[in-house]
Amino acid sequence: SLYSEHMQRETQSKLSLINDLHDAIKARAFSLAFQPQLDHLGRIIGAEVLCRWQHRGKPVSPDLFIAAAEEANLIVELGDWVLSASCQTLARLRQQHLLPQGFERLAINISPVQFLNANFFDQLVFHIEAFDIPPGLVELEITEGIFVNDKQLVKSLIQRLVHHGFNVSMDDFGTGYSSLSYLQSLPIQTLKIDRSFVSNINNSAADANIVDYIIQLGHSLYLDIVAEGVETEQQREYLLSHGCTKFQGYLFSKPLDETAFIEYLTPDSS
Ligand code: C2E
Ligand code: CA
Ligand code: CA
Ligand code: CA
């Protein structure tokens, strides 16, 4: 039938993607992009690292290849490369004095499986020490989805990281398995408001209300709040007037490769 033919093609292309992913990981065929985060005065306060993969000449969506890497048990290896390469870039930027004064964090996405891996903490510490990075410059972005696992275990892993000086942020907040009562018991620093809420701020009262609520919740827990996916000046204004002072999105910059990111950090020096 048409349906099973379609399924077969899907399975086939997924299998070949996973196959190529294996090779790409061996060959270190990935790169990193950096998306600036800014405060209400337009000062750069940090950046998020986003993994990129050019496959047969075309970029593959990270949503797709990260999911494939998770499914194929390759995410720990890929995630470890992301950690190491992020530290390497951060070390270079520090050595060359390219980080602006208020640069607080490089945020790195961590998949649940990677986060829960028994070697994660040691690997992370190994990489920052190898590149002489202060842990306070590193923010680990996790999603609420992590809490389908043993909550106590997740909590103790977060505590261990924070105790060592790392920052932990809750990414895509409000889209997943929200555990509000639990949030207050976690020593995280940052809430990231998901793009899906931000993009509808100016045309959906419901989404605007959710954003207000997240901002208030964040303030009441003394958390930093970063809005992601800010594309328009109206969105920025709404967020700012409701108490969110940190932004990330196309309005300011798309994710940039290292060279373009350095230019962004040093606009005068070209
Ligand atoms: P995310 O962590 O929520 O990352 C934000 C996504 O929003 C990125 O998509 C970014 O390019 C995009 N974005 C930022 N500003 C805007 C905007 O103003 N408008 C729009 N339309 N999009 C914006 P990207 O790079 O495609 O990554 C997708 C997802 O893949 C990420 O979502 C994250 O969940 C995952 N991902 C990317 N890199 C890594 C990684 O190194 N490790 C892990 N575990 N996941 C990663
Ligand atoms: Ca993220
Ligand atoms: Ca996000
Ligand atoms: Ca997202």
Side-chain angles (χ1 to χ4, degrees), residues 63 171-172 175 194-196 228:
D63 283 319
D171 197 7
D172 301 348
T175 62
D194 192 60
R195 187 172 86 220
S196 60
E228 70 175 18

Side-chain angles (χ1 to χ4, degrees), residues 28-93:
R28 302 282 183 257
F30 300 89
S31 61
L32 299 180
F34 303 85
Q35 189 176 33
Q37 300 176 334
L38 294 91
D39 72 6
H40 59 296
L41 297 175
R43 294 175 299 205
I44 301 163
I45 51 154
E48 177 175 3
V49 180
L50 295 154
C51 191
R52 295 289 178 258
W53 182 29
Q54 287 274 343
H55 178 237
R56 300 175 196 268
K58 284 192 206 131
V60 186
S61 157
D63 283 319
L64 207 75
F65 74 77
I66 294 290
E70 284 171 341
E71 238 175 277
N73 275 320
L74 296 167
I75 193 64
V76 170
E77 213 179 321
L78 176 57
D80 198 58
W81 177 82
V82 170
L83 284 177
S84 162
S86 299
C87 288
Q88 191 171 2
T89 297
L90 201 47
R92 204 158 29 230
L93 297 176

